[in-house]
Amino acid sequence: MFMKKRMRKMVSLTLAMCMTVPFLTACGSGKESKEEGNGKDTITVWYWEDNEGSYEEAYSTWSEKYPDVNLELESIPWNSYHDRLVAAAASGDLPDVYKIQPTWTPELVSMGAIEPLDEYIDAWEGRDTIPESMWNSAKADQDQTYSWPHSLVVLYLYCRKSYFEDAGLEYPKTMDEFYEACEKLTKDTDGDGAADTYGFSMRGARGGHFMWAGLTMNAGVDFLDDGGKTALNTDKMTEANQKYLDIYKNGWAPKTAPTDGMTEIVQNFESGVTAMLIHHLNSAQGIVDVLGDDVDVVPLPEGASGRYLPSEPCFWAVSSKSESKDAAVDFLKYSTEEEPHKALCKNAGLVPFVSPVTDDPEFTENKFCAASMEYLDDVKTFPVCDTWGEWSETVWPQTMQRALLGEITSGDMIETLADNLAGE
């Protein structure tokens, strides 16, 4: 089944390493760790993070509240996380708790790897501190709720303030203004006849479908129609996609764009190679540390149908094989208590959604966080369906890279994406 939702305002270990013997203890569901914990229950938690140590610091008070349960936190690189998670699910070696995106839920349900949580959610007295929109998203269009709200980020546009001032440009509010800025901010600054500063930090590798959707689907297109059928393959989408591809073909993005991932696009922006970047709150502190006041954030530009703001909500899941399910759910509750939630949002660069943290001036008076919260009414999550995992992890980046390199046309790209999303 598919899901398309608007959210209301409220709101390196590799796969191979995981499968080797020395790492089986870390990958397990708690049995081995329990013996090492002198008889205490132990719960293991997997997650990915951009700011190293942010989870350990946020959850440092766990032992004070739950002295009889050991907490083992394991950070796994984003680039290998999904593959490692699926491999662990297939082998029965999942941790007790693991971080997921909602689009992965059908895949994990089909593998019998994820525990239903409705009974725990309904009995929890803190349920109302989390907005209903987050619980709806956690349900991921399934008959039961298999996940617990963890975090939320919203994409916006980072702009190098001095670059715009020097070019005499206002920050782009429309797609036409955005493409104009891409062109005018691309410059040959050293006079060697080749551009060395580019308008846009394009991400052609895995994860680039977020910014791609934010700059194409505002033309009045979406992944699905009202009947839940794939709606990508239209002339309107092909045209919008061609304009996006032209950023690279016109030389307004670095030559490495087809293979650039999150690390590269942020580094390009921080180093002055690019003038605009689409990312979220998580990058703000690192960018400010480098650029100081020479950075602003604005909403993604509007297309013919307004804004399309892809969001990246993440959730906690509990392994169906866990031998410590009650302790695992205690961790879910703990993670969404006021202080741990505030600490994680602050340290990891996330948008708060737990009350009363949502009203904390530390977030509401921060321009980067405020920009995330201001347009939550426009936020959309991606469709939840059996094909999305492969589509987003493999099909989109491979197809985008071929289109950027001129191996296929914009129409070919959209047809491939539509067919794969539909499971054809």
Side-chain angles (χ1 to χ4, degrees):
M1 297 178 67
F2 295 94
M3 177 186 71
K4 180 180 71 175
K5 288 191 175 125
R6 278 187 180 273
M7 299 184 66
R8 304 185 209 101
K9 188 166 184 179
M10 24 127 188
V11 255
S12 151
L13 294 178
T14 65
L15 175 61
M17 291 170 65
C18 179
M19 298 178 69
T20 57
V21 172
F23 288 90
L24 287 179
T25 298
C27 294
S29 58
K31 292 183 289 186
E32 299 89 345
S33 300
K34 188 171 182 178
E35 294 176 2
E36 296 172 0
N38 298 322
K40 291 183 180 181
D41 277 341
T42 294
I43 55 171
T44 55
V45 179
W46 282 5
Y47 52 92
W48 67 87
E49 61 181 343
D50 293 328
N51 300 336
E52 185 177 354
S54 55
Y55 283 69
E56 290 183 355
E57 184 175 350
Y59 302 146
S60 61
T61 60
W62 167 266
S63 60
E64 298 174 13
K65 297 201 65 174
Y66 298 93
D68 297 327
V69 180
N70 293 320
L71 179 64
E72 292 187 353
L73 301 172
E74 183 174 358
S75 176
I76 298 172
W78 163 248
N79 285 340
S80 60
Y81 188 92
H82 178 265
D83 287 344
R84 181 172 171 182
L85 185 67
V86 171
S91 64
D93 287 323
L94 281 169
D96 299 283
V97 178
Y98 52 91
K99 182 179 173 181
I100 64 169
Q101 292 181 341
T103 50
W104 301 350
T105 304
E107 182 179 29
L108 294 163
V109 170
S110 69
M111 299 178 76
I114 191 167
E115 182 74 11
L117 298 175
D118 292 283
E119 179 180 349
Y120 297 103
I121 294 169
D122 292 342
W124 182 45
E125 66 271 11
R127 187 187 190 284
D128 291 341
T129 63
I130 297 175
E132 198 62 30
S133 57
M134 288 296 285
W135 291 118
N136 290 337
S137 186
K139 200 170 183 67
D141 211 26
Q142 304 297 302
D143 293 335
Q144 301 183 77
T145 306
Y146 290 94
S147 59
W148 188 285
H150 165 276
S151 61
L152 174 68
V153 292
V154 179
L155 295 186
Y156 48 55
L157 187 67
Y158 286 92
C159 299
R160 285 293 297 266
K161 185 187 302 184
S162 61
Y163 286 24
F164 276 84
E165 290 174 350
D166 292 344
L169 292 172
E170 299 290 333
Y171 297 136
K173 296 182 176 64
T174 67
M175 287 305 300
D176 287 342
E177 292 173 351
F178 172 76
Y179 289 124
E180 179 187 8
C182 286
E183 178 180 10
K184 291 186 175 180
L185 294 169
T186 298
K187 298 181 178 181
D188 170 16
T189 63
D190 59 12
D192 68 353
D196 46 50
T197 301
Y198 302 89
F200 183 54
S201 208
M202 178 181 278
R203 181 176 181 176
R206 179 173 171 267
H209 61 284
F210 281 94
M211 64 168 61
W212 168 80
L215 294 176
T216 57
M217 292 187 154
N218 57 16
V221 186
D222 212 335
F223 290 98
L224 311 173
D225 61 22
D226 292 338
K229 294 183 179 180
T230 305
L232 279 178
N233 199 2
T234 65
D235 291 342
K236 186 181 292 185
M237 186 62 192
T238 298
E239 180 181 353
N241 185 59
Q242 183 63 61
K243 291 181 179 179
Y244 185 79
L245 296 174
D246 285 343
I247 296 175
Y248 181 72
K249 294 182 178 181
N250 290 335
W252 303 339
K255 294 179 180 180
T256 55
T259 55
D260 280 350
M262 187 275 290
T263 300
E264 290 78 17
I265 63 171
V266 174
Q267 287 178 346
N268 284 337
F269 184 74
E270 291 178 343
S271 66
V273 173
T274 56
M276 293 184 289
L277 164 72
I278 291 178
H279 209 231
H280 46 65
L281 181 63
N282 184 266
S283 300
Q285 188 57 57
I287 290 174
V288 170
D289 288 344
V290 175
L291 301 181
D293 292 334
D294 191 21
V295 59
D296 272 330
V297 285
V298 295
L300 296 191
E302 294 186 6
S305 65
R307 290 190 181 90
Y308 192 105
L309 301 184
S311 175
E312 189 180 22
C314 292
F315 299 87
W316 291 121
V318 174
S319 169
S320 58
K321 306 298 182 183
S322 172
E323 295 184 354
S324 304
K325 290 189 177 71
D326 287 343
V329 172
D330 283 339
F331 172 76
L332 306 187
K333 297 174 182 177
Y334 166 82
S335 72
T336 42
E337 291 178 358
E338 180 178 351
E339 291 308 316
H341 180 68
K342 178 179 178 179
L344 186 65
C345 289
K346 179 180 178 181
N347 297 337
L350 302 171
V351 181
F353 61 84
V354 172
S355 61
V357 183
T358 50
D359 296 324
D360 193 314
E362 188 167 358
F363 298 100
T364 59
E365 296 177 5
N366 178 293
K367 70 176 181 180
F368 299 100
C369 189
S372 299
M373 301 172 72
E374 185 176 359
Y375 294 96
L376 285 176
D377 285 341
D378 297 323
V379 162
K380 287 194 175 184
T381 55
F382 291 134
V384 177
C385 57
D386 293 339
T387 58
W388 184 263
E390 182 181 1
W391 188 94
S392 59
E393 299 288 322
T394 304
V395 176
W396 186 90
Q398 290 179 352
T399 308
M400 171 56 74
Q401 287 162 4
R402 292 185 64 200
L404 288 174
L405 295 174
E407 297 175 4
I408 58 175
T409 67
S410 177
D412 294 335
M413 174 180 168
I414 297 305
E415 183 177 4
T416 298
L417 293 178
D419 288 347
N420 276 271
L421 188 62
E424 298 175 2

